[in-house]
Amino acid sequence: MLGVADIVGEPLLERVEEILTANEITPNTAHNEIVQIRDRVTSFVATLNQVISAFEFFGIGWEELPPGEFEIGFLIPKVEVDHGLEELGKEFVKLKRIIGPFSELAGEGRPEVKVRSISSSEFQVFLDSAPATAALFTAALERVLAVYKQVLDIRQKHQELSENSDLPEEAIRPIAEAASEMMEKKTREIAEELVAEADTKAEERNNELLTEIRLQLNALAERIDRGYNVEVRAGELPESTDEGEPGDDLDPATRKATEAVLEAQKSIEFMNVSGKPILSLEQADEDEEDSQPEDSEESGEKQN
């Protein structure tokens, strides 16, 4: 949309590597092409600095979360909801369902999910989150992204074969199927790990939660594959009012959750994926999802 996708992240690296590894290119030609890219990047950085200066002049800043507060954010590509209000509304319901089992497994029931902020530029929404839910969801997202980096390599090879070879679709389809099978296996393992690690009193629902979390991890992985950006944010630890450590004024559980989210943020940064999605994973049946406990008081009673 901004015309700079080819000079940031993976596309930039791929373009530079393509120039340097081309067999027919001469050093002089490579130099000229690299200079052109450098000039575009330099111009882009200068423009960004001007934008930042303008923001500072008008007092427009980054929203800082207060200490002890958390949010889970989803950036929804407009093409995924066909720019439609009804489809966007359905997607918001699905995002709520993704978070639901993590909230219950964290011992916080299934309270109503509240919107902290929303943007229309790319349908980005930030949802309020309790500390334990944010920490657990961060752990799940971190592990899903670690697996997806392997899928991304497969996806890129699949894309190259689709575009640059004469192989028929049925010949390369098994590559996509293998990627989906690998992700299905890993989401099952991640779900088992999360349930085993969770300090929750809802042991009588662990089997149900295991299945639900596995399916919602599938839903999360598919959305990442389709270009969604998913992130978790936490307010910085406040400086202590005495000689203690930062965050000592927070209750221990909130401080622990804050440290976990802040520590993981570098590993859950946005992944600039390109090409066509490759994953096709088992999803939860919507009728079954509707039968899951939604009322916070009812869920709380099951855990006490």
Side-chain angles (χ1 to χ4, degrees):
M1 254 187 342
L2 299 178
V4 296
D6 62 322
I7 56 172
V8 295
E10 289 293 332
L12 174 60
L13 175 62
E14 291 172 2
R15 179 56 185 146
V16 172
E17 289 179 343
E18 180 183 327
I19 292 172
L20 297 178
T21 58
N23 293 329
E24 70 279 2
I25 200 165
T26 65
N28 187 58
T29 303
H31 173 267
N32 292 337
E33 293 195 27
I34 294 294
V35 166
Q36 291 178 11
I37 294 175
R38 181 205 63 190
D39 291 344
R40 285 191 62 204
V41 172
T42 301
S43 176
F44 175 51
V45 171
T47 302
L48 281 181
N49 287 333
Q50 292 175 3
V51 171
I52 293 171
S53 297
F55 281 165
E56 292 174 349
F57 177 82
F58 288 108
I60 302 174
W62 173 257
E63 180 187 3
E64 296 286 347
L65 285 177
E69 294 193 13
F70 303 79
E71 64 183 13
I72 299 173
F74 296 90
L75 186 150
I76 307 167
K78 288 186 176 181
V79 66
E80 287 297 319
V81 293
D82 197 27
H83 297 254
L85 180 60
E86 182 177 355
E87 291 302 316
L88 180 61
K90 291 178 181 178
E91 181 60 20
F92 284 158
V93 172
K94 292 177 181 178
L95 296 181
K96 175 184 176 181
R97 288 171 176 160
I98 287 176
I99 297 174
F102 296 98
S103 179
E104 183 177 349
L105 185 63
E108 294 171 337
R110 300 211 184 195
E112 181 59 38
V113 179
K114 296 182 179 180
V115 176
R116 291 184 62 96
S117 61
I118 191 168
S119 168
S120 63
S121 59
E122 278 292 344
F123 295 149
Q124 187 169 32
V125 60
F126 287 95
L127 307 174
D128 191 33
S129 175
T133 300
L136 183 59
F137 189 82
T138 296
L141 177 60
E142 190 174 21
R143 297 178 199 189
V144 168
L145 286 173
V147 177
Y148 187 73
K149 289 178 181 179
Q150 302 174 45
V151 173
L152 190 56
D153 291 336
I154 300 173
R155 171 173 162 160
Q156 291 170 343
K157 297 297 188 294
H158 181 270
Q159 186 76 15
E160 291 172 5
L161 289 173
S162 298
E163 296 178 347
N164 303 319
S165 74
D166 295 327
L167 291 173
E169 176 61 28
E170 56 268 22
I172 60 176
R173 187 180 300 120
I175 298 176
E177 293 172 350
S180 295
E181 289 174 3
M182 182 184 75
M183 180 58 80
E184 291 264 15
K185 177 182 177 182
K186 292 297 184 179
T187 54
R188 183 182 299 276
E189 293 175 359
I190 294 170
E192 291 172 349
E193 293 168 359
L194 293 172
V195 171
E197 294 167 4
D199 180 17
T200 177
K201 298 178 182 179
E203 294 180 359
E204 69 277 8
R205 273 190 41 82
N206 275 359
N207 288 335
E208 291 87 345
L209 280 173
L210 176 60
T211 298
E212 192 179 358
I213 286 175
R214 177 179 65 83
L215 294 175
Q216 297 305 346
L217 288 174
N218 285 349
L220 186 63
E222 274 206 7
R223 280 164 175 76
I224 293 169
D225 189 47
R226 301 202 314 258
Y228 284 57
N229 181 32
V230 187
E231 59 181 306
V232 187
R233 296 180 61 214
E236 294 288 340
L237 290 172
E239 293 295 331
S240 178
T241 54
D242 49 31
E243 296 181 357
E245 295 292 326
D248 279 352
D249 295 338
L250 298 175
D251 68 82
T254 301
R255 176 180 176 178
K256 181 179 179 181
T258 300
E259 291 172 341
V261 172
L262 295 177
E263 175 66 24
Q265 281 184 336
K266 286 187 177 181
S267 61
I268 59 174
E269 290 178 346
F270 175 69
M271 299 181 69
N272 187 13
V273 297
S274 58
K276 296 180 180 179
I278 195 173
L279 293 179
S280 178
L281 309 177
E282 181 185 0
Q283 300 292 310
D285 182 83
E286 291 192 8
D287 291 336
E288 292 181 2
E289 287 182 328
D290 291 337
S291 69
Q292 297 298 330
E294 293 290 344
D295 182 77
S296 57
E297 294 182 359
E298 176 185 347
S299 299
E301 291 175 359
K302 291 185 177 182
Q303 298 176 67
N304 294 325

